[in-house]
């Protein structure tokens, strides 16, 4: 026993000694994975989180997902071995498929829809009354109509789209078309890497296509009617690139933001950080051909050494994590950027860039925080790979919101992980109009996925997710984070505040509200890591409806179903229905595999 403990140091608990420690997968995990995943770093999923993944999901992550760069150092046999040791065996019931729908979709072009991240190129995340099919008096009577369980999934982050009697959504690398009224399935198609972005739908050549981006840095176009692939576009050569933000369609072009998980690789002190540069591309929506590509980091990268002796390459980073916003009046695209991964810091990190829709040229930019060079090694004391600037990691993770006020002047609203909200003038190269501070912010705090706007107020949910030490590294703090703010668009002053609910004794629970907000006339919807989806009065913040998604379900497709944390995409509302994703297994949060459909009237 002493020999076992000594050889594995602190990386494995005593329970892994003996027979389990001799498992080839355990040895591979110790040699290649434990340094990060057993470290207790807040932004790295710990082993307990990984063990909730299926074996197939872990192999997919190592082969084509966010860990493909690390997985490339292993043979296929080694990847299979660590997946078998670490992951859970698949449940036989997970092979069950959804009942097939009878006939064709009954919708029409006049059907209520939600076909992009922000329900339009301005990214308001607001659904007008007629399309919503719900009023403030209806909302307290919402009830679960049906539930769909995504087989093998633990993380639900691809926001659905509703279009002409179909609901398109993705879980892992499976894409589904369902009947929004019943949850029956029209088709399912599989792609090569897990889908990261929301689903966007448009008809560039008269045929409706669904567009989405994946963890492999590939944008896909499939036919809405059948799921048949039309084209794929690899948007960045960097091995760590991915498409987290949703592609935006406008006038037969698809505008694609590019992000990366490369900053995680810098946890390895021997890794030379970093080569990735954020970018935005314009694609021909009919063919997928790249029309232009603009990098957020424009300076030439040069090798250098940090003060602690690590070899670096920079500048790098400034990923674009969110859907861009289209200014149809000015012919511009607004992209919000993240931090740099390595020194030197650049002027386009933590900024908003205004790009020409036609050429991709940067017309103007406005930086809100300078010197923010950060990678995940900075979470470890005295790590040599942390940039000398050692910034706070206050990315812009949410889309800019473009609003026109009653008197005609326009606002471009930016929300940061620091908790800061900025309203700037898009007609005066980003001159500040007002600023408001919400929450205290952190790497997983402040405003994460984004607010909603109804033309009078901005509704912003706060994460401020926090952690406590535990036997498995870190555990969610059940008493820290959350809250929903309503700000006047005129001056940014607080109109009301709805405090977060308490977790009580529930494990893997946090009151934080990092997910995107959605609004309809009179109502604001916000999810929480505690598993609840709640609706508030937009007039005064009064709670109108509360549903706890974190329980078992009898799914319409027969697969085992369980809800978890509500994070990432916000609810999609169309035609009297509210569609919610439940399950977010990333940072010790509660896993789940549910797409939930709520309504008032009988179908």
């Amino acid at each position: 026993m002493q020999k076992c403990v000594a050889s594995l140091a602190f990386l494995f608990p005593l329970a892994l000694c003996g027979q389990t420690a001799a498992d080839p997968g355990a040895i591979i995990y110790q040699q290649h994975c434990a340094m990060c995943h057993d470290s207790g770093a807040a932004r790295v999923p710990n082993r307990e989180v990984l063990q909730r993944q299926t074996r197939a999901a872990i192999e997919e992550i190592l082969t084509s997902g966010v860990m493909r760069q690390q997985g490339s150092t292993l043979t296929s046999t080694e990847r299979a071995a660590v997946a078998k040791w670490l992951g859970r065996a698949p449940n036989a019931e997970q092979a069950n498929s959804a009942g097939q729908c009878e006939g064709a979709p009954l919708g029409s072009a006049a059907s209520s829809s939600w076909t992009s991240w922000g329900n339009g190129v301005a990214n308001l995340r607001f659904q007008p009354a007629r399309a919503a099919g719900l009023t403030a008096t209806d909302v307290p009577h919402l009830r679960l109509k049906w539930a769909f369980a995504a087989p093998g999934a633990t993380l639900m982050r691809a926001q659905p789209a509703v279009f002409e009697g179909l609901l398109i959504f993705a879980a892992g690398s499976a894409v589904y078309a369902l009947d929004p009224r019943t949850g029956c399935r029209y088709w399912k198609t599989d792609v090569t890497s897990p889908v990261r972005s929301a689903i966007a739908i448009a008809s560039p050549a008269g045929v409706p296509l669904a567009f989405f981006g994946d963890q492999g840095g590939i944008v896909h176009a499939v036919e809405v009617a059948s799921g048949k692939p039309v084209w794929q576009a690899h948007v960045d050569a960097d091995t760590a690139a991915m498409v987290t933000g949703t592609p935006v369609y406008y006038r037969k072009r698809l505008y694609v933001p590019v992000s990366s998980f490369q900053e995680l690789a810098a946890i390895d002190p021997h890794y030379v950080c970093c080569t990735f540069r954020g970018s935005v591309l314009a694609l021909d929506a009919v063919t997928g051909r790249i029309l232009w590509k603009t990098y957020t980091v424009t300076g030439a990268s040069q090798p250098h050494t940090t003060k602690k002796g690590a070899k670096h390459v920079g500048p790098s980073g400034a990923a674009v994590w969110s859907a861009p916003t289209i200014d149809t009046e000015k012919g511009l695209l607004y992209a919000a950027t993240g931090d740099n991964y390595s020194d030197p810091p650049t002027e386009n990190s933590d900024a908003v860039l205004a790009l020409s829709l036609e050429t991709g040229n940067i017309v103007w930019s406005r930086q809100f925080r300078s010197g923010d060079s950060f990678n995940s090694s900075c979470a470890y004391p005295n790590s040599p790979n942390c940039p000398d600037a050692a910034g706070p990691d206050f990315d812009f993770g949410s889309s800019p919101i473009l609003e026109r006020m009653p008197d005609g002047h326009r606002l471009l609203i930016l929300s940061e992980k620091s908790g800061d909200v900025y309203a700037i003038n898009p007609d005066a190269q980003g001159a500040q109009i007002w600023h408001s501070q919400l929450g205290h912010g952190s790497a997983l705090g402040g405003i994460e996925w984004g607010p909603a706007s109804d033309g009078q107020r901005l509704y912003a949910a706060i994460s401020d997710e926090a952690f406590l030490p535990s036997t498995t590294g870190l555990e969610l703090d059940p008493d820290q984070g959350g809250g929903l703010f309503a700000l006047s668009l005129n001056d940014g002053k607080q109109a009301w505040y709805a405090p977060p609910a308490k977790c009580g004794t529930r494990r893997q629970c946090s009151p934080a509200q990092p997910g995107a907000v959605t609004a309809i006339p009179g109502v604001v919807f916000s999810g929480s890591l505690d598993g609840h989806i709640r609706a508030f009065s937009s007039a005064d913040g009064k709670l109108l409806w509360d549903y706890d998604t974190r329980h078992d379900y009898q799914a319409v497709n027969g697969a085992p179903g369980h809800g978890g944390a509500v994070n990432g995409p916000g609810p999609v509302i169309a035609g009297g229905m509210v569609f919610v994703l439940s399950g977010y297994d990333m940072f010790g949060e509660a896993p789940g595999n549910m797409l939930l459909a709520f309504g008032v009237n009988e179908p």
Side-chain angles (χ1 to χ4, degrees), residues 134-160:
L134 287 174
T135 67
T137 56
D138 293 328
V139 168
H141 305 291
L142 286 170
R143 62 182 183 85
L144 184 67
K145 307 290 276 189
W146 54 264
F148 183 97
T154 59
L155 175 62
M156 304 293 284
R157 59 184 169 197
Q159 178 177 284

Side-chain angles (χ1 to χ4, degrees), residues 164-197:
E164 295 189 8
L166 284 175
L167 184 144
I168 314 294
F169 92 106
S173 40
V175 185
Y176 302 86
L178 308 181
D179 185 320
R181 301 162 305 166
T182 67
C184 70
R185 193 185 84 189
Y186 285 103
W187 54 257
K188 171 181 175 288
T189 190
D190 294 294
V191 294
T192 52
S193 292
V195 178
R196 281 290 302 232
S197 78

